[in-house]
Structure formats: C-alpha cells, structure tokens
Amino acid sequence: MDENRTTTPDDSQDHDPDTSSRIGAVDEAMLDEFLNSAFALPSDVEALDEDFDSPDEGTGSDQDNGLADDVDPLALPAGIGSAPAYRPGRSPVPSLPLKPMNLNLLSALEASLYWRDLDAWVTWLRRDYGLSVTVIPPLWHRHAELRWELSALHTAWLSAFDPKSSASAPITWHRELVEAQVRLADWVSHSGTGLTEDRPTPVTLWPGETGFGSQATWDSEAVRPRAFSDRAADFEAWVAQDIAARRAVEDQVRSETRRPVPGSTTSLRTGSGRS
C-alpha cells in the first residue's frame, strides 16, 4: 500500500464530506488523548543519551524547534532505543488521570512515540535494578507477553511515583516488581530468547486451526533460534515493521469508511444537486 497516497479531486467528490470530517475528528481526539497522557521518565533515562544535542534556550529559532517540510513526523531516528535528538521525558497534564495502555489500539503515530518511551524506561529499569537477561532479554520487544508485562509495569511505576500518589505507593510498586520478575522469567524460559539468540514464543495450535498436527505444533525445535549482534538495530527494524502494519490497518479503515454505502450513492448525489 502506498503510504504517500494523496487525495485527488475525484476522491473528494466520491465520498461524503461529513464522513471525512468525522474521520479527522476521531484522529485529532485520539492524538490529543495520547499527548495529554504523555510520559514523564526519570532523569536517569535522559542521562542515558549522552549524545543529545538540545537547541540553545532563548534563541527563538524556528529552525531549531520546528520540523522541516520534508520531514516525516513518524520517521524513526536511530540510537539506544531513541535518537540523539530525542528526549524521552515529557511532562504529563496533571488534570488527566493516568490510564493503562492498550497496545492493540495504538495508532501508528502513538506507537512511534510509545515504543521509544517504553524502551528507554526498560533500559533504565534493567540497569538500575541489575535485572538479568533471564528476566528482561535484549529482544523483549519481539515477544508480546513481555511487551504487555513491561508496559503494565511501566504504567504502574508512573502512577506510583506521581507526586500526587500516596507515600506508600513506591513500596507497593516494588512488591509488584518482584511479582513481575517471576512472570517475566517464566515467559523468557518458555520462549528461549537469550542474550545473543532469539526464538519466537511457541504457540500451541488447537484442533481446527491451520497447521494443527504438524511437526511445528509439537516440536519446539522446529522454530530455530535466530542469532543477532546489534540489539538497537533490531529494535529499529521491529518498530518500523510495527508502525507499517498499523499504518496499513489505518489506511484500510479510511478506505472502508470512504466507500459509499450500497444504494445510498444515488440519493446523496441527487440531494446535493449532482447529475
């Protein structure tokens, strides 16, 4: 699917203007909700990016603070889970409650921001707490069960260390961290992902599902481990694939929404004075 597809004059005549406005309203509302729930990460995480070059304060230069016209807002910078020009800390809006992140419902734009914040936080977590590779492996991002667990732990951490939380919230979070480590270690052991090799989490097929009864259903060795040497590069590749998949779904939804309802095209055009 062409990500750079533009709307032609013919396209604008083939769909209901009210429908387009509703689509735009939904997209803006989704983006506003995400940005209002932005993540405030610890200074430790910001310190991980030693090559960060911030624009000089007080210069008032639009070139330093803005994006060029040819810059893709979803472009993925490179780095240790973030680019030299990317700072993971953003101040949340105090009036809005912190909400759990449903990873299945992230838009492409939300995912391009969220995965980087989560990765920066996970890097801080494993370093500050000395968590071993059997708890958080390098390619945790390629395992859905690890993504969900770490995302939930991250959200709980943000809530526990919020200035408005109770004084006992941090110790409660540390109890949750201990429990989460047990689950993480169990899932890492199940998949077999490690320090220099990664193997997809095996999923047992049920009767009636495609492939049931084949060797791959019962033999975990049928899924061979894949060696890797650059964790940051693998993360970049995975995030790019994830965003591309979400973009494809969004494009499909937009296409389906713009498609005229059978039997309604004639009446719409008649009512608008079209022949």
Side-chain angles (χ1 to χ4, degrees), residues 53-125:
D53 295 325
S54 60
D56 294 335
E57 296 182 0
T59 60
S61 173
D62 293 336
Q63 289 182 334
D64 291 339
N65 298 327
L67 290 175
D69 293 338
D70 59 348
V71 173
D72 182 356
L74 297 186
L76 297 177
I80 70 160
S82 60
Y86 175 79
R87 182 181 291 274
R90 292 189 299 276
S91 299
V93 178
S95 60
L96 293 179
L98 183 66
K99 297 180 180 179
M101 298 298 295
N102 187 336
L103 305 183
N104 290 337
L105 300 183
L106 294 177
S107 68
L109 177 58
E110 291 170 341
S112 69
L113 299 172
Y114 181 68
W115 291 134
R116 296 186 172 286
D117 276 346
L118 182 60
D119 184 60
W121 182 82
V122 170
T123 299
W124 166 82
L125 179 71

Side-chain angles (χ1 to χ4, degrees), residues 25-47:
V26 171
D27 290 345
E28 291 178 2
M30 181 182 298
L31 179 58
D32 288 342
E33 182 177 357
F34 175 77
L35 294 179
N36 287 337
S37 303
F39 316 98
L41 297 181
S43 57
D44 307 49
V45 178
E46 297 183 6

Side-chain angles (χ1 to χ4, degrees), residues 191-252:
S191 67
T193 182
L195 183 61
T196 59
E197 290 185 338
D198 180 67
R199 184 169 60 192
T201 302
V203 177
T204 301
L205 298 176
W206 288 358
E209 293 182 335
T210 303
F212 175 76
S214 64
Q215 181 183 15
T217 306
W218 313 108
D219 185 6
S220 61
E221 293 300 323
V223 183
R224 299 295 180 184
R226 175 180 64 88
F228 63 92
S229 59
D230 190 334
R231 188 268 169 187
D234 189 275
F235 178 76
E236 295 292 338
W238 178 85
V239 172
Q241 293 170 358
D242 180 79
I243 292 176
R246 294 176 191 273
R247 277 175 166 170
V249 172
E250 292 168 1
D251 288 343
Q252 181 178 358

Side-chain angles (χ1 to χ4, degrees), residues 152-165:
L153 194 62
H154 174 224
T155 303
W157 180 88
L158 289 172
S159 176
F161 288 89
D162 185 276
K164 295 184 178 181
S165 295

Side-chain angles (χ1 to χ4, degrees), residues 129 152-153 156-161 165-180 183:
Y129 288 85
L153 194 62
W157 180 88
L158 289 172
S159 176
F161 288 89
S165 295
S166 67
S168 61
I171 196 64
T172 300
W173 180 82
H174 279 89
R175 285 197 294 267
E176 295 171 348
L177 173 61
V178 173
E179 296 176 1
R183 293 190 295 268

